[in-house]
Amino acid sequence: MAMIILGALIPVFGLILLGYGCGRFDLLGDRAFEVLNRFVIAITLPVLTFRSIARMDPADLAQPSMMIAVVGGALATYAIGFAIEKGLGRSGGEANIAGLCASFSNTGFVGLPIALLTFGTDTVAPVAVTMLLYSAVVFTVGVVMSEMAASHGDGMRAGLMLAGRSVARNPLILLSSLGVVWCLLRLPLTGPFDVLLSTLAQATAPCALTAIGIFIALPREKTAPGPIGRALVLKLGVHPLLTAGFILLLPPMPTLWAKMAVLMAAMPSGASSFVLAGKAGRWAMELSAWAVMLSTTSASLSLIAVLWWLGA
């Protein structure tokens, strides 16, 4: 089991190390991480989300208990992370990134391979639904909070209007909605068009993780361990426990779907928090980059315990 987990995590470290080398030796320029972030958030991540949803069986969207557990566990964890950092004097934008680091899981690049190797091919549907919920709901909350924080004290109404306009034009939200429609209408997704989408989708994790490595290589101020430690505890401990709590309180769902909800919650922080961190400033970027890297390292141990608990 340990080798399965390490096998899924090694590519994450490899891409971060690649990015670090590019940044350390200035192979791509000191603004490369910003360009890669924009590429991910505007193109590859929306395409990945659309393709994942569009190719689903519509019946897989009819699991309300699982959906509530996934969203409830993630948003409850986000709220805790946000409230802690806001209470400690951080800005709304910084607290937003702290919440995302604690609640947005790396389901595609780490979660799906581990699920497939430990529980088999039947896990594809519940993992795909979880990916949809994290991208379309949890990340949307992050986008809205980011835009509200960027309103710079112009008032709640102005912040909400700005956030609403941003969400309405956000490629991730638009393509997520299109994916749901595509799925429900059972439209085909084949041929060269699907090959193009697949190629773009597969670039998401490499670009985001390489960008993190480039950022880590840049000159930086000393990183405070407290916020990073809190993010790790919330992500790898509190998030899966809250998700399991929702599952116990909700009407029964298929056992495998319940296990996948908890397993995906136990995954390390996804790199998506980093693509929003730029708007929140240097502190948020430091927190996100180190939370992704250190939660991935720590998950090599914590996931063994979670998989044993789930009966893998």
Side-chain angles (χ1 to χ4, degrees), residues 71-99:
V71 173
L75 292 185
T77 307
Y78 170 91
I80 294 171
F82 183 96
I84 290 174
E85 299 306 329
K86 197 74 171 69
L88 292 174
R90 292 295 171 184
S91 68
E94 292 170 336
N96 176 50
I97 299 304

